[in-house]
Amino acid sequence: MRQAWLSELLVLGGLVLAALLLGAFFGYFGWFMFAALVAFSCRHLLQLYRLERWLRVGRVRNPPESWGIWGDVFEHYYRLQRRYYKRKKRLARVIREFRESTAAMPDGTLVLNSEFRIIWFNDAARETLRLSSNRDLGQPIASLLRSPRFKIYLDAREFNQPVNVPSPIDDSRTLAVRLIPYGAEQYLLLVRDVTRMQRLQAMRRDFVANASHELRSPLTVLSGYLEALAEESALGSQWREPLEDMQAQCQRMSTLVNDLLELSRLETEEGDASLEDEVDVPALLDRIARNARAEDASRHEISLEVLSGAGLKGNDSELHSAFSNLVVNAMRYTANGGRIRIRWFARPGGELAFEVSDTGIGIDEKHLPFITQRFYRVNSSHSRYKGGTGLGLAIVKHVLQRHNARLEVESTPGEGSVFRCVFPQQRAFYNALLSADSSILAP
Ligand code: ADP
């Protein structure tokens, strides 16, 4: 038994014994026993009163001096109170540091609760969104950022990318807004003014588009003259080779200009590809496979498997461009005699996939994260020699982005590659008139 309880029992025992002895000596046994119990109760009442007074004061200060079980109670409570105050102080320090660091951030930062209502914001957010503590604390963020894009972003609850919205105080400015979930359904909203960056990007896009456009006419003239010269029988045979070379280079430049124009058009296009237009993918793939075989002149074995009759809601010419870029790449980076397999199929979750697999040179894993960047080539001279512009996969990436799709690449150097475009179920459309399900079109 604990010391405190023992001494408490000893006190009680002592009092009862004293009452017994006094009762035996003087008589009035009952009165002495009553007095002993009253004395015992008074001690406890007094200690209870001291405890209550100490708690009432409420601050951490030394507990009342006591002994026995009351000494232990005061000590335990004092220790608990100190631990609680220390934790509270630590938490207050963490919160202060968090607020100081977010207040110092150059980007607007807002803390939102689970209903996306504003519970705190820093000075940068106050300035960027012209917020006022009295008016805006507790307001839903959607009533402040009223862009439909932001509403879709909130509803979709996919917060791994920022979304660009017009500024609520000046719609000529653009804000990049990103939600970061943390803790128990709380959100940090980061707001950055990206107007300058957007203007620079638009200038770069316009410049590339204009330059490519301007290059087109001189190139057409040049290739016209070169063609006429190549057919000129009066020219000596020593001109054959240089002329052929000039024609090939001219062709390369026009392909490059066309790819640049297509890429800048895709970059300028706002938002996603339309959901109104329907593309008969099986028929499109049939066309692509026929063209590829005609161009390939039996250097490779090209097969097409259409395992789903589904079509896609989107843009026909963009999808044609993306799919044929992947097929052309497979032909370009597969040695003669290799196999190229084009497939169109539905995945178990309802997603649709276009896949091109080849038995070509493959790509080392370290290059995979970069191959969709403009002009990124694993082997520049090989790509140029094969007529590549370095823009094909950048075009594919943009087209897929506009169709809410993703690109999956698996590749083993020396064995081959698989490029897969995966489209969400919302992009699928089914029509009885489309090519039949599960048909396999032979090469
Ligand atoms: P390019 O016009 O050079 O083919 P792309 O953007 O289409 O440019 O492709 C980028 C790079 O990715 C290529 O230079 C090539 O190194 C690599 N690549 C693309 N497709 C394949 C493939 N099917 N097999 C091997 N490498 C590929």
Side-chain angles (χ1 to χ4, degrees), residues 259 325-326 329-334 358 360-363 371-373 375-380 383-384 387-394 411 416-417 419:
D259 278 3
N325 261 308
L326 292 178
N329 273 355
M331 285 153 54
R332 198 175 275 159
Y333 301 107
T334 304
D358 62 52
I361 58 173
I363 308 165
I371 53 172
T372 56
Q373 289 176 3
F375 298 114
Y376 188 90
R377 290 150 160 142
V378 176
N379 180 337
S380 311
S383 156
R384 277 202 197 95
T389 59
L391 295 173
L393 291 182
S411 192
S417 317
F419 283 79

Side-chain angles (χ1 to χ4, degrees), residues 250-313:
C250 226
Q251 177 58 41
R252 223 169 75 75
M253 273 176 77
S254 348
T255 320
L256 187 62
V257 164
N258 287 340
D259 278 3
L260 276 172
L261 272 172
E262 181 165 3
L263 196 57
S264 66
R265 191 188 54 73
L266 282 169
E267 284 180 334
T268 324
E269 214 75 60
E270 278 279 323
D272 295 340
S274 151
L275 282 162
E276 306 292 308
D277 303 327
E278 295 174 341
V279 183
D280 180 349
V281 177
L284 174 71
L285 295 185
D286 195 32
R287 250 174 18 239
I288 290 176
R290 272 180 223 282
N291 287 343
R293 284 189 201 112
E295 215 175 286
D296 190 61
S298 300
R299 282 194 292 267
H300 305 99
E301 188 190 308
I302 303 176
S303 67
L304 168 65
E305 297 170 25
V306 178
L307 303 171
S308 165
L312 283 174
K313 293 177 195 157

